[in-house]
Amino acid sequence: MSVNRYFIDLAYNGTAYHGWQRQPNALSVQELSEEALSKLLRERISIVGAGRTDAGVHGMQNFFHFDTDLQIESKHIYNMNALLTKSIAVKALYAVPSDAHARFDATKRAYLYKIHTQKNPFLEGRSWFYPFAVNMKLMQEATKSLLTYTHFETFSKKSTQVNTFECHITKALWEMTEDGYTFHIESNRFLRGMIRGLVGTLLQVGRGQISLEKWHEIVLSNNEQLADFSTPAHGLYLSLIEYPPFLKKIV
């Protein structure tokens, strides 16, 4: 019997998890997803995720792939959700070519970072309470300049092992919301800690702690010690992952 590959689209509230990736002595979204699939299909399933969100970061959309020689049907969405915790939800199942890869075949990733300016118990753990006045015009100007840069070593955590710091950002802006404002960014790839570093440093521009001129110096410095990575994880969401048109939805 031939082995088939499938993609699963899932969402999760990252509050209770030590990130996406399986690791010893800490609960992860990958671990629970693998356990649910293995129990459902009655065989040991290993999954490969599209992106590794950090501890406390949420996923509005993330993907992983797995292989099995069993026939996967739409009913497996309901059955897997019944096995998963309430903070993880399978949204869709896709049949894909045998060489499709959840991580390497992604063509675009998008994140958003939510900030609220008035204390709100209903946003606790899902948005960052930031009660400081900011100059949105200056923040937007600094943010817009991200589309003109491609090298983002400044906004990569020092412990990251990567072959390149090149990222091609296609969208970056702030959106005013009912509760405050949200940072949106899209790129072909991101570096570890990159969005939280960008948000923290852009807020320094908004509060007048650094000038626009200094902002550009920081971006070009390739020195991560000049970026502000102190923004908390619970405001960050992986919001979108796009692929070439090989996904065939199982309905």
Side-chain angles (χ1 to χ4, degrees):
M1 188 176 291
S2 62
V3 175
N4 299 310
R5 177 158 293 183
Y6 298 92
F7 274 29
I8 280 186
D9 177 0
L10 78 165
Y12 48 89
N13 180 324
T15 303
Y17 308 112
H18 204 75
W20 160 265
Q21 189 175 16
R22 176 186 280 271
Q23 50 197 289
N25 305 317
L27 193 63
S28 69
V29 179
Q30 180 182 14
E31 177 184 348
L32 293 181
S33 298
E34 285 181 336
E35 288 178 353
L37 258 181
S38 297
K39 186 173 183 179
L40 178 63
L41 302 180
R42 298 180 181 179
E43 63 175 335
R44 181 60 188 162
I45 298 292
S46 296
I47 66 177
V48 176
R52 299 176 179 178
T53 50
D54 288 339
V57 176
H58 311 296
M60 297 170 68
Q61 181 175 61
N62 202 348
F63 284 87
F64 64 78
H65 75 246
F66 69 97
D67 299 325
T68 181
D69 57 8
L70 299 176
Q71 184 65 37
I72 300 300
E73 303 174 7
S74 59
K75 67 179 182 180
H76 287 107
I77 297 175
Y78 175 86
N79 293 338
M80 188 174 176
N81 276 326
L83 293 170
L84 287 165
T85 65
K86 293 180 179 179
S87 55
I88 305 175
V90 171
K91 298 192 294 181
L93 260 167
Y94 298 91
V96 299
S98 60
D99 60 349
H101 197 285
R103 179 183 176 191
F104 298 131
D105 285 340
T107 56
K108 180 197 295 184
R109 292 174 170 83
Y111 282 84
L112 57 86
Y113 194 96
K114 295 184 179 183
I115 290 174
H116 59 287
T117 55
Q118 300 291 326
K119 187 176 181 180
N120 187 334
F122 301 105
L123 294 177
E124 182 63 31
R126 298 188 294 114
S127 175
W128 184 23
F129 175 42
Y130 193 79
F132 306 104
V134 297
N135 184 323
M136 185 57 68
K137 183 179 179 181
L138 286 177
M139 280 172 53
Q140 291 283 32
E141 188 173 344
T143 301
K144 186 178 179 180
S145 73
L146 290 172
L147 277 66
T148 67
Y149 294 107
T150 58
H151 190 88
F152 291 96
E153 187 173 354
T154 297
F155 300 100
S156 177
K157 289 287 186 71
K158 194 170 185 178
S159 59
T160 306
Q161 299 296 320
V162 293
N163 295 323
T164 177
F165 294 100
E166 297 292 309
C167 302
H168 298 282
I169 295 174
T170 53
K171 176 181 178 181
L173 57 87
W174 291 90
E175 173 196 15
M176 301 303 297
T177 65
E178 181 180 352
D179 301 299
Y181 38 95
T182 299
F183 177 68
H184 296 267
I185 188 166
E186 295 180 1
S187 178
N188 65 320
R189 63 190 293 267
F190 291 95
L191 303 166
R192 182 170 176 263
M194 180 173 170
I195 295 117
R196 289 163 69 183
L198 286 171
V199 169
T201 312
L202 286 166
L203 287 171
Q204 289 185 335
V205 174
R207 292 183 65 185
Q209 295 171 325
I210 59 175
S211 65
L212 282 173
E213 181 181 10
K214 182 63 176 178
W215 156 258
H216 291 288
E217 290 177 5
I218 290 172
V219 177
L220 293 169
S221 71
N222 299 333
N223 182 357
E224 83 286 346
Q225 294 184 1
L226 298 180
D228 182 356
F229 292 96
S230 65
T231 50
H234 62 255
L236 183 58
Y237 295 74
L238 174 57
S239 58
L240 174 75
I241 301 178
E242 288 188 355
Y243 293 96
F246 58 60
L247 298 181
K248 182 180 179 182
K249 194 170 185 178
I250 297 174
V251 294

